[in-house]
Amino acid sequence: MNKLSIINEIDEMLNTYCEGCFVRAQIRKDEGKTAAHRFCISNCTIGTQLQFLGNELNKTGSNK
């Protein structure tokens, strides 16, 4: 995968699944921003996929 395709995939996932997420909004309302962020990183399947893509992006480095 090249850098641009990874970035586009991340952007598409965020727009499709994360924007307007009811679970995140509810946790943020009940427990705060930190708890919602922790949920997204550790419990959400989309968050896990985003972490994988982020790691792949790091592997590509800053070289063109």
Side-chain angles (χ1 to χ4, degrees):
M1 290 181 115
N2 67 19
K3 187 185 260 189
L4 188 59
S5 67
I6 295 172
I7 291 172
N8 286 336
E9 191 169 342
I10 290 171
D11 190 44
E12 183 180 332
M13 288 181 72
L14 286 171
N15 289 334
T16 304
Y17 299 107
C18 299
E19 195 170 306
C21 175
F22 175 75
V23 176
R24 179 176 161 259
Q26 191 62 41
I27 293 173
R28 188 173 179 163
K29 179 181 171 188
D30 294 342
E31 300 175 34
K33 191 177 355 179
T34 305
H37 183 73
R38 191 177 321 116
F39 168 80
C40 292
I41 290 174
S42 59
N43 295 72
C44 180
T45 57
I46 302 302
T48 305
Q49 290 174 354
L50 289 171
Q51 284 182 24
F52 171 76
L53 290 172
N55 289 332
E56 292 298 310
L57 189 60
N58 284 335
K59 288 179 187 176
T60 63
S62 60
N63 299 339
K64 290 186 177 184

